[in-house]
Amino acid sequence: MDEDAILDRLSAVEDPELGDDIVSLGLVNDVTVDGDTVSIDLALGAPYSSTETAIAGEVREVLADTGLEIDLSASIDTGLGDDEQVLPGVENIIAVASGKGGVGKSTVAVNLAAGLSEMGARVGLFDADIYGPNVPRMVETDERPKATHEETIIPPEKYGMKLMSMDFLVGEDDPVIWRGPMVHKVLTQLWEDVEWGTLDYMVVDLPPGTGDTQLTLLQSVPVSGAVIVTTPQEVALDDARKGLRMFGKHDTPVLGIVENMSGFVCPDCGNEHDIFGSGGGREFADEVEMPFLGEIPLDPAVREGGDSGAPIVLDEDSETGEAFRSFADETAKMQGIVRRRQASSQR
């Protein structure tokens, strides 16, 4: 069986989200038949997302009766040269942002990263909230970064995630009082001098608002997608719009909107109470024509998990944990759609 016959079989594999087969979409980078082995490189960019896992499974299925050993790989051409690769080993950089504080952005970022890691992905979690870093507490790590002889930084790991935070570099109770140029310098050093290695996803917890840290990230690092966190209340939605416009001005793909603190289920009476309103995040997503990534309940267990360093997404018996797992999968699926659309448009 030659390469053309393999491509003919692959044309039966549909991308359910882009609405055509993977050959017509240009998602087959290369097919090579060498003896009893066929090597296929696919333009898939969101490792462990349910959609791309299913596509890879269908590729194996349509070739199962050929008697060939199937060697699958995945790669996306980002269009960046070697000298433009700030983080060459990192496939996807997902920024988690909010227009205002108090919406649980860091909680969402930590559980997104831990959820992706639990799916099997190689994950880094970068706490870029310079003035209020709290990721180390939320994952309960006492380990500190280590320096190499080459003056690079080896990040600590927890729950399968590589971690970096300003909290590692300052005293426990010391406030960070810096002006913009210092913020730019330190952030640049943290992501360029840290030995992140090979990662499928780096989740970046941005500070609230649209200030120096956000601009530094968007101007220095090829962010592959952003997640906007809001609560259902109007005041949070107003600020979420500002964050959305910020990413739009820098041509950064927004993967979608997630509504945190969506509803509170009383543990005593079992009734659900819409403390911060209802449906605002979904309505906002519809209004701005962005994907809605999910609703996260207002659950005391989320706060307890954050304080104790045990992200609730890892609790398999928790309904709120399941909501976070669904959100992590939706985020990965949207990142895959963005990547595959980019790859298809370049053909």
Side-chain angles (χ1 to χ4, degrees):
M1 179 171 284
D2 60 14
E3 284 82 355
D4 288 338
I6 296 294
L7 285 170
D8 185 57
R9 294 223 179 187
L10 294 181
S11 64
V13 178
E14 295 282 324
D15 184 320
E17 292 160 342
L18 299 191
D20 207 340
D21 71 88
I22 62 173
V23 176
S24 299
L25 289 167
L27 300 183
V28 182
N29 294 325
D30 184 64
V31 174
T32 303
V33 178
D34 183 6
D36 293 332
T37 300
V38 55
S39 299
I40 303 171
D41 186 55
L42 301 174
L44 302 180
Y48 297 94
S49 73
S50 55
T51 298
E52 295 197 355
T53 299
I55 289 174
E58 286 190 43
V59 167
R60 293 186 180 278
E61 187 175 331
V62 298
L63 299 174
D65 64 348
T66 63
L68 295 170
E69 182 179 343
I70 303 166
D71 180 20
L72 288 186
S73 59
S75 62
I76 293 283
D77 181 5
T78 62
L80 296 175
D82 292 340
D83 57 339
E84 300 175 289
Q85 297 280 1
V86 178
L87 296 165
V90 180
E91 186 166 350
N92 295 292
I93 302 173
I94 300 176
V96 179
S98 65
K100 69 185 296 294
V103 299
K105 168 188 55 60
S106 292
T107 296
V108 169
V110 167
N111 280 278
L112 171 60
L116 292 170
S117 178
E118 186 72 2
M119 290 160 62
R122 297 165 296 185
V123 178
L125 176 56
F126 183 23
D127 183 1
D129 194 344
I130 292 292
Y131 301 108
N134 47 32
V135 162
R137 172 187 288 276
M138 298 179 77
V139 296
E140 196 185 22
T141 178
D142 295 324
E143 187 182 351
R144 289 316 212 203
K146 298 176 182 177
T148 69
H149 292 298
E150 292 76 24
E151 297 185 352
T152 58
I153 302 171
I154 300 175
E157 295 189 32
K158 189 66 179 290
Y159 301 119
M161 303 179 291
K162 294 184 177 181
L163 309 170
M164 183 48 61
S165 170
M166 180 54 58
D167 195 47
F168 290 138
L169 308 179
V170 298
E172 183 175 349
D173 299 317
D174 294 340
V176 178
I177 307 173
W178 288 342
R179 295 188 183 276
M182 181 61 76
V183 170
H184 178 91
K185 180 179 179 180
V186 170
L187 281 176
T188 301
Q189 184 175 10
L190 283 182
W191 57 62
E192 289 187 357
D193 293 348
V194 173
E195 295 191 2
W196 291 107
T198 302
L199 298 177
D200 299 311
Y201 302 93
M202 177 186 287
V203 176
V204 182
D205 178 22
L206 288 173
T210 55
D212 290 326
T213 303
Q214 290 86 342
L215 293 177
T216 295
L217 180 81
L218 294 175
Q219 291 171 355
S220 307
V221 177
V223 176
S224 58
V227 171
I228 306 292
V229 183
T230 187
T231 61
Q233 65 187 122
E234 285 298 326
V235 67
L237 294 170
D238 289 343
D239 289 321
R241 288 183 177 87
K242 298 175 184 176
L244 188 62
R245 286 195 292 270
M246 173 186 69
F247 289 114
K249 287 182 178 180
H250 288 83
D251 296 323
T252 301
V254 175
L255 304 181
I257 315 296
V258 58
E259 181 181 285
N260 196 26
M261 308 181 193
S262 182
F264 172 69
V265 178
C266 175
D268 297 323
C269 67
N271 292 329
E272 183 169 346
H273 304 277
D274 296 321
I275 295 175
F276 294 104
S278 175
R282 188 182 293 275
E283 291 171 7
F284 173 53
D286 290 341
E287 173 193 332
V288 297
E289 298 182 337
M290 287 290 170
F292 185 62
L293 301 175
E295 300 172 340
I296 309 299
L298 180 61
D299 185 344
V302 176
R303 190 271 306 163
E304 293 165 5
D307 287 346
S308 66
I312 196 169
V313 70
L314 303 178
D315 184 350
E316 296 183 358
D317 298 324
S318 165
E319 291 186 9
T320 302
E322 178 57 35
F324 270 118
R325 288 189 289 276
S326 175
F327 157 64
D329 182 57
E330 286 297 317
T331 301
K333 283 164 59 175
M334 283 309 307
Q335 183 65 89
I337 290 174
V338 168
R339 288 299 204 189
R340 298 196 307 279
R341 279 179 179 161
Q342 290 172 342
S344 182
S345 66
Q346 292 171 359
R347 300 304 172 100

